[in-house]
């Protein structure tokens, strides 16, 4: 079990990482006890594995997952996250960068629309993972909460602002192409299980490529 490849699920607090993990494991009830908040300022890295699963799942916080009152702690976590990826990137066959569709506009407004000197943290994270050649799928989670009208707005805001940072985000139809020119993203709902079959297929294709 130790040398099974790992799937990285990364994103800010509350975006739905644990919910997505539960959809991917064969026995979510067993995993429930393992999940939980991470106390203190140490990045606790837990990998979740089951004998019948061909890969392990590692759930990590994103860049900047706390409010500004805990900037120091945020920086501390970020540093540890960077160290972890630098050390263990070879273990990861694939990464899911999970975004909360309800928060996209806020995040981009904070970093992009009002201040063009800083990079939105999610884009920084994507660039960082790419440096280590970990294939990425961006998951736009909680899509069940978005109206058709807002969905269009959010999609184009995401794509256009990513472009300004040199990232070519493309909505995937479920056929994952990891040519490193495009970064695929998938609209998703962990609650409604929207696109869960596509997600599973993309993960499996990547796993086969790895092995
Ligand atoms: N509406 C909606 N809520 C979701 C979805 N995914 C997760 N949630 C909710 O968001 C909250 C945080 O989810 P969790 O998986 O714990 O996020 P984590 O902190 O990233 O692990 C929980 O209340 C979930 O029920 C989704 O696709 N749609
Ligand atoms: Mg969680």
């Amino acid at each position: 079990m130790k040398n099974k490849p790992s799937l990285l699920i990364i994103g800010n607090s509350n975006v739905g990482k644990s919910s997505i993990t539960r959809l991917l494991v064969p026995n979510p009830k067993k995993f429930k006890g393992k999940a939980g908040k991470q106390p203190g300022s140490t990045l606790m890295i837990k990998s979740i594995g089951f004998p019948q699963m061909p890969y392990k799942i590692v759930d990590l916080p994103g860049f900047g997952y706390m409010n500004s009152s805990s900037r120091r702690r945020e920086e501390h976590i970020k540093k540890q996250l960077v160290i972890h990826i630098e050390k263990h990137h070879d273990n990861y066959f694939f990464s899911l960068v999970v975004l909360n569709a309800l928060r996209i506009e806020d995040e981009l407004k904070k970093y992009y629309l009002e201040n063009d000197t800083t990079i939105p943290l999610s884009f920084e994270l994507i660039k960082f993972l790419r440096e280590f050649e970990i294939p990425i799928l961006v998951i736009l989670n909680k899509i069940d909460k978005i109206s058709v009208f807002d969905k269009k707005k959010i999609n184009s805001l995401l794509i256009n602002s990513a472009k300004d940072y040199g990232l070519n985000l493309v909505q995937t139809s479920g056929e994952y192409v990891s040519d490193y020119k495009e970064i695929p993203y998938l609209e998703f709902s962990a609650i409604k299980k929207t696109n869960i079959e596509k997600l599973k297929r993309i993960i499996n294709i990547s796993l086969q490529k790895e092995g």
Side-chain angles (χ1 to χ4, degrees):
M1 184 148 131
K2 214 166 193 166
N3 43 25
K4 277 184 189 174
S6 296
L7 171 70
L8 177 62
I9 301 187
I10 194 162
N12 295 348
S13 198
N14 231 34
V15 295
K17 297 182 299 297
S18 300
S19 307
I20 292 168
T21 302
R22 275 193 286 276
L23 295 177
L24 297 174
V25 299
N27 193 343
K29 280 206 184 100
K30 237 181 178 171
F31 152 67
K32 215 172 185 179
K34 293 187 190 176
K37 290 271 175 298
Q38 303 172 343
S41 58
T42 313
L43 185 64
M44 290 211 321
I45 293 151
K46 273 185 253 166
S47 73
I48 298 137
F50 289 86
Q52 62 269 52
M53 241 174 111
Y55 60 88
K56 297 186 287 186
I57 296 178
V58 175
D59 169 337
L60 290 178
F63 285 179
Y65 77 120
M66 311 205 85
N67 56 36
S68 52
S69 65
S70 358
R71 259 281 130 75
R72 267 174 63 96
R73 192 180 161 216
E74 187 180 304
E75 279 302 313
H76 183 69
I77 301 261
K78 186 170 160 179
K79 226 174 259 172
Q80 291 185 65
L81 188 66
V82 167
I83 290 167
H84 173 80
I85 305 277
E86 282 173 350
K87 214 168 161 186
H88 299 286
H89 62 95
D90 276 345
N91 297 351
Y92 292 113
F93 71 97
F94 201 59
S95 63
L96 307 177
V97 174
V98 186
L99 305 178
N100 178 354
L102 294 163
R103 305 259 331 140
I104 296 276
E105 239 185 316
D106 279 353
E107 195 198 349
L108 291 177
K109 266 189 190 137
K110 191 163 141 205
Y111 288 97
Y112 169 69
L113 301 173
E114 286 164 13
N115 180 353
D116 57 10
T117 60
T118 56
I119 180 167
L121 291 168
S122 299
F123 295 156
E124 190 184 353
L125 177 60
I126 290 169
K127 288 195 158 188
F128 178 68
L129 294 173
R130 263 157 73 94
E131 275 179 41
F132 291 97
E133 299 185 347
I134 303 173
I136 299 164
L137 175 71
V138 176
I139 294 193
L140 200 50
N141 194 35
K142 307 201 184 186
I143 207 74
D144 57 288
K145 288 279 199 187
I146 309 286
S147 70
V148 176
F149 175 78
D150 282 340
K151 212 190 275 184
K152 280 188 186 146
K153 202 170 68 177
I154 288 168
N155 271 288
S156 55
L157 183 64
L158 183 64
I159 291 169
N160 290 330
S161 45
K163 208 161 267 169
D164 286 350
Y165 294 97
L167 296 173
N168 189 14
L169 278 187
V170 178
Q171 188 159 9
T172 176
S173 58
E175 300 300 327
Y176 185 77
V177 201
S178 79
D179 61 1
Y180 283 100
K181 283 189 205 117
E182 295 179 351
I183 298 155
Y185 76 91
L186 189 65
E187 291 183 351
F188 198 81
S189 166
I191 295 276
K192 295 256 164 90
K193 299 189 183 177
T194 309
N195 281 335
I196 179 65
E197 290 311 320
K198 280 184 188 171
L199 175 61
K200 284 182 176 173
R201 197 173 67 199
I202 288 170
I203 292 171
N204 283 328
I205 290 169
S206 303
L207 188 62
Q208 278 156 27
K209 271 187 193 157
E210 160 88 8

